[in-house]
Amino acid sequence: RLLEALDAMLFGDRELESVGRRQVLMVLTDGLSGDEGRIVKLAHDRRGVQEIHCLGIGDSTNRFLIDELARAGDGTSGMVLLAESVSGQVAPAIDAIRTAAVVNPAFDFAAAGVVDAVPSRLPTLRPGRPIVIAARWEGDEAREIVLSGTVGLSAVEVPIAFTPPTAERGDADRRALSKVWARATIAEMSEVGRRGEALATGETALEGIRRTALEHGLVSPLTSFVAVDASEALDVPGTRTIRQAVPVPSDIDPATTIPGANGLPRSREEIATGG
């Protein structure tokens, strides 16, 4: 019932920000919920002064939900497997909460000739957690990018020297960098789609993802590579049905979680032994 819990705890009031304080929520969950989209969208819609830090507990955690909820809540995420030390994963989250951070960071990209930067909404800048930005640049001369934000109640500005890749870089390097940017852009579009918003271009998120993936030759939720195996031909026209075993998460009973799964093996061990 994670959706109900977050609905009760999250609010958009920014009153705490006026005194330089933020509310912190620490979510411990196995993430086994069918409401991933609604949960992440709620965290986006209610984003105010709250930080949401997530720890996934167990060997079958829904990693997508853990990471996306933390990203929506401008927090950190981690995993605690059953055989691992809990303190080893909890400590980094506690350190992130205690450490001073640059809140609402922003860069003046236009002045530096940098365009199409993603992500468009930057997370809080914390010691030990870099912000990775993919963008296009215009020109090849060195320049300066200014980081602005707030630490406590104080506004800060930090100039950062930026030297774009030179024109002498090989075509292979430029193609690789373009795909890095394209993947980051697809991730950004996916996030916009989960919020139910349209892109700045007027496209839907699905249209933008498909266009970007096709332009850069990438596998995405809407595009894939197709391999045709002509080494074997069917004896008769038509199709042939093949039953393919699908491993299930550890300690999850498919008979109670997957419709029509009665009689399927209940663990990896049973799949391996045919039991």
Side-chain angles (χ1 to χ4, degrees):
R1 301 174 64 181
L2 185 56
L3 182 64
E4 295 178 35
L6 288 175
D7 187 40
M9 290 299 298
L10 294 175
F11 55 89
D13 186 7
R14 309 193 72 88
E15 181 179 349
L16 289 174
E17 199 168 42
S18 63
V19 293
R21 305 186 67 179
R22 291 162 67 85
Q23 184 185 55
V24 173
L25 304 180
M26 177 66 74
V27 179
L28 309 178
T29 177
D30 57 16
L32 297 181
S33 170
D35 292 332
E36 298 104 322
R38 295 173 63 194
I39 291 171
V40 173
K41 186 176 186 303
L42 177 67
H44 276 293
D45 293 344
R46 299 278 185 86
R47 183 171 178 175
V49 295
Q50 290 125 322
E51 296 177 3
I52 303 176
H53 300 266
C54 288
L55 283 179
I57 309 296
D59 294 339
S60 304
T61 306
N62 184 341
R63 186 61 187 258
F64 170 82
L65 177 58
I66 300 300
D67 289 342
E68 290 302 314
L69 182 56
R71 185 177 292 109
D74 197 16
T76 59
S77 63
M79 303 293 293
V80 181
L81 301 180
L82 297 181
E84 292 182 344
S85 167
V86 175
S87 60
Q89 295 295 333
V90 173
I94 299 300
D95 289 342
I97 295 172
R98 290 176 173 171
T99 307
V102 179
V103 181
N104 299 324
F107 290 96
D108 186 1
F109 287 120
V114 178
V115 298
D116 296 337
V118 289
S120 58
R121 184 167 62 180
L122 300 179
T124 294
L125 180 59
R126 307 175 190 278
R129 190 183 77 166
I131 295 177
V132 179
I133 300 169
R136 301 176 188 267
W137 71 91
E138 297 173 347
D140 56 4
E141 70 281 359
R143 64 206 63 186
E144 186 177 82
I145 297 179
V146 178
L147 165 69
S148 61
T150 304
V151 178
L153 293 176
S154 302
V156 296
E157 287 191 352
V158 180
I160 300 173
F162 171 62
T163 303
T166 64
E168 286 74 25
R169 294 183 73 104
D171 290 340
D173 287 345
R174 287 197 291 270
R175 286 197 299 270
L177 287 173
S178 72
K179 291 184 184 296
V180 170
W181 173 85
R183 289 191 185 281
T185 300
I186 288 174
E188 171 97 347
M189 292 175 176
S190 298
E191 184 174 313
V192 171
R194 285 192 290 273
R195 297 199 300 265
E197 302 172 3
L199 303 178
T201 59
E203 300 172 294
T204 66
L206 296 181
E207 290 170 342
I209 291 172
R210 183 184 296 108
R211 173 181 53 77
T212 303
L214 291 175
E215 287 176 357
H216 293 268
L218 297 174
V219 173
S220 75
L222 297 172
T223 58
S224 62
F225 296 112
V226 178
V228 178
D229 182 5
S231 62
E232 180 183 359
L234 296 179
D235 296 333
V236 295
T239 59
R240 180 173 59 189
T241 300
I242 299 176
R243 295 181 62 85
Q244 177 66 48
V246 179
V248 296
S250 175
D251 299 322
I252 298 299
D253 184 355
T256 60
T257 57
I258 303 175
N262 288 319
L264 292 179
R266 296 191 176 191
S267 67
R268 290 189 178 91
E269 290 75 15
E270 287 181 283
I271 291 173
T273 61

